[in-house]
Each structure stands twice: as C-alpha cells, then as structure tokens.
Amino acid sequence: MLPAAREELRLQGIPIHGQYKARIREAYSLPSLQQYEQKRFDWYHDEQTMIDWTTFRQTIRKFHTQKATIHKHVFHFSPTGHWAHQNNHHLPSSCPRCGNPNENNAHVLQCTDPVVHQWRQQIFPALKKAIQQSRVQCSDPQLVEIMQAGIHSYLSHSAPPNPFAYPKPYQTLVSQQNAIGWAHVWMGQFSTEWKIQADAYYRNNP
Ligand SMILES: [Zn+2]
C-alpha cells in the first residue's frame, strides 16, 4: 500500500481530502442536527436526503460573522413575540404591527401590515435584478419561474406550486421543495434537484 493511501481518512465510508477539522466536526454533529431538524420541522419522510447540504453550508459560511443570528433564523428561534412570550408570560406573543396573536418566524414574512406588504412587493424585482447581475449569464427561466411561484405561495400563505404544471424534468424538483417546505428556501435549504436542473440547463445552453 502506498504511504498516501495508508494515510487516507474516511468518514462514513467517504474519503476526506482536506479541511479535516471541519469535516470531522460535521460528521460528529450532522446526525444529531438532522435528528433534531426532523422533529423541529415535522419531517416524517426522507426530506433531509432531498436537501443540498453542500449549498446550505456554503450559504451559511458567508454569514460567519452573524453566526448567532443565522442559527436562530435557521432553527426558527428568531426574537419574535412567540419566543418572548414563551420566555416571559407577561410579554405579548402578538405581532406589534398587525396584532396577529402569534408572531412567529413565518409571520414575520407573511405579516399583513402595509409596511411588510410593501417590502414583499420589492422581493421579486430584487430577485430579478440579483439574477441579472449574477455571474451566471444564462439562468434557466423555468427555474426562475418555479422559484418565484414557490416564494409567492409561501409569502401569500397559498397552495404550493403544482409539480404537474411544469415540464417533466422539473416535476421532481417542485415535489421535493414542496415536501421540504418553501420556508426552507429562506434558510438556504434547497432540494438537490435545483443544482441538477441548473447544471443540465448550462450543459445544453453553454
Ligand atoms: Zn403582523
């Protein structure tokens, strides 16, 4: 056996070629994190295996200076009325803007207050601009449309997109993101199908 092969590190059967500390930490913490998430988000099936955890890690890493805030956001523990009331029963759980009796993480985005409504109106032009300004020159218009439909369904508290309303190659993506939940797009938790379909589009439209 070559010396290099003798020194190869494998975690859960997968060879590790760098960033050893981070990979060991992940291998140690990921199973318990996944178990926790399963309970927290009422995932009963294989939703976790549908998530592109590489993209999630890359997204989270960009906010390393705001770790505490991001963790609260990802696990739905942001300082809302819901948690304030849980911690101190004298504090109201209601939304200070619209008076909804339970201001939780979802409500912060779905609030009917005119100011929040105006903010929601700005999301789609901002999303379009971000795509145009990104280094990706040929974003798949079908993926952009699905993303907009999914985000809109979540923000307006309406039914998620119907997978069968889209061409066949995209139907698994829509089904998977519906199962994971469109709320999770706000947390950087995307179905692996997004990357698969984006790569396929770039291959066919170089
Ligand atoms: Zn509200």
Side-chain angles (χ1 to χ4, degrees), residues 9 11 16-26 57 61:
L9 173 65
L11 290 172
I16 306 298
H17 301 295
Q19 295 183 297
Y20 297 105
K21 261 186 173 175
R23 296 291 90 83
I24 291 168
R25 204 164 38 227
E26 273 168 23
R57 279 196 296 268
R61 213 171 288 152

Side-chain angles (χ1 to χ4, degrees), residues 130-198:
I131 291 167
Q132 282 166 351
Q133 288 177 348
S134 71
R135 275 180 268 169
V136 179
Q137 295 300 312
C138 52
S139 300
D140 182 347
Q142 192 66 74
L143 289 180
V144 175
E145 196 187 312
I146 294 170
M147 180 62 80
Q148 287 184 333
I151 289 177
H152 181 265
S153 74
Y154 177 69
L155 292 178
S156 60
H157 224 283
S158 53
N162 175 2
F164 301 109
Y166 297 96
K168 198 152 181 46
Y170 301 91
Q171 291 176 2
T172 307
L173 182 158
V174 179
S175 298
Q176 288 194 353
Q177 197 63 55
N178 285 351
I180 295 164
W182 285 92
H184 290 261
V185 162
W186 298 90
M187 305 173 211
Q189 294 175 346
F190 298 90
S191 153
T192 50
E193 281 289 316
W194 287 97
K195 189 173 183 326
I196 292 169
Q197 294 308 325

Side-chain angles (χ1 to χ4, degrees), residues 73-109:
H73 171 65
V74 167
F75 294 113
H76 286 192
F77 286 123
S78 292
T80 57
H82 175 85
W83 290 113
H85 185 70
Q86 291 272 317
N87 295 328
N88 179 350
H89 281 210
H90 297 292
L91 294 173
S93 61
S94 58
C95 170
R97 291 172 301 273
C98 73
N100 182 293
N102 185 26
E103 189 206 29
N104 55 20
N105 273 58
H107 181 79
V108 171
L109 298 170

